[in-house]
Amino acid sequence: MKVAVIGYSGAGKSTLSRRLGELYGAAVLHLDAVGWQEGWVHRDHDEMRAIVRAFLDEHESWVVDGNWKRADRGRRYEEADLIVFLD
């Protein structure tokens, strides 16, 4: 199962993603953890895309949460079996 979780800040994306990962036995990637480096410094866009690409390539089942469009240029939405929007 491949799931993309998107939505507003504080809506519960990370919590839901962790639970879905446990439920489906899927690897979980939080895009905030990829997009931000220590000290709230933005990660380089190319480096961020490389990390996300490697994650998607390495896992048959995954949950990716976050709204970072530049992280994968829409690939996770194309590959997802389910897209969840939290309002």
Side-chain angles (χ1 to χ4, degrees), residues 40-78:
W40 293 104
V41 176
H42 276 130
R43 184 178 305 276
D44 174 76
H45 296 166
D46 290 334
E47 182 181 358
M48 184 179 188
R49 280 191 286 274
I51 292 168
V52 174
R53 182 175 49 249
F55 178 86
L56 296 176
D57 288 346
E58 291 172 11
H59 301 284
E60 288 186 31
S61 183
W62 48 254
V63 179
V64 177
D65 78 28
N67 300 320
W68 296 76
K69 287 175 79 172
R70 64 180 166 252
D72 62 7
R73 297 186 173 146
R75 176 180 168 189
R76 68 192 135 128
Y77 304 129
E78 293 172 7

Side-chain angles (χ1 to χ4, degrees), residues 3-49:
V3 182
V5 180
I6 58 176
Y8 293 108
S9 179
K13 294 182 299 295
S14 295
T15 300
L16 178 61
S17 294
R18 279 192 299 274
R19 290 183 182 162
L20 289 172
E22 293 169 2
L23 177 68
Y24 292 119
V28 177
L29 180 66
H30 304 285
L31 293 181
D32 278 345
V34 177
W36 294 103
Q37 297 182 62
E38 188 174 328
W40 293 104
V41 176
H42 276 130
R43 184 178 305 276
D44 174 76
H45 296 166
D46 290 334
E47 182 181 358
M48 184 179 188
R49 280 191 286 274

